């Protein structure tokens, strides 16, 4: 992951971000993220692919879970994946 630009996950701007790779929502807590990463990592190690898109390598899901522990990265990936919240038409 590129620490200078959180939008470049695995140095590929088109790669699914951690929320998509883990299959969790923006409201997922640490326990859910860790459990999902562990289960999907096992699937990758056994030769499976839990998501469509670029092929995940062993360690990718652990990296994805770790990146969601950083509040700044989590917010960046949240905005990139789920979009900006609707703040109304008043602006």
């Amino acid at each position: 992951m590129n620490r200078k630009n959180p939008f470049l996950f695995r140095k590929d701007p088109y790669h699914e971000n951690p929320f998509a790779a883990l299959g969790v929502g923006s409201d997922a807590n640490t326990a859910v993220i860790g459990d999902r990463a562990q289960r999907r990592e096992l699937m990758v190690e056994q030769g499976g692919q839990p998501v469509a898109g670029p092929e995940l390598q062993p360690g990718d899901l652990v990296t994805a879970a770790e990146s969601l522990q950083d509040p700044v990265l989590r917010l960046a990936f949240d905005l990139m994946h789920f979009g900006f919240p609707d703040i109304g038409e008043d602006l």
Side-chain angles (χ1 to χ4, degrees), residues 58-82:
D60 285 350
L61 294 160
V62 172
T63 301
E66 289 171 354
S67 69
L68 293 180
Q69 301 304 316
D70 181 323
V72 174
L73 289 177
R74 184 176 179 129
L75 176 60
F77 286 122
D78 185 4
L79 293 174
M80 182 175 69
H81 188 68
F82 298 106

Side-chain angles (χ1 to χ4, degrees), residues 4-66:
K4 293 180 182 177
N5 184 346
F7 293 97
L8 297 177
F9 184 63
R10 286 188 60 211
K11 298 181 182 177
D12 180 355
Y14 301 106
H15 190 279
E16 298 288 344
N17 74 31
F19 286 107
L22 294 169
V24 297
S26 63
D27 60 343
N29 63 30
T30 304
V32 170
I33 291 170
D35 181 59
R36 186 66 59 91
Q38 187 176 36
R39 285 190 283 141
R40 288 191 171 198
E41 186 69 29
L42 182 60
M43 182 186 296
V44 170
E45 289 172 359
Q46 294 174 346
Q49 287 295 310
V51 296
E55 186 173 323
L56 295 169
Q57 301 298 318
D60 285 350
L61 294 160
V62 172
T63 301
E66 289 171 354

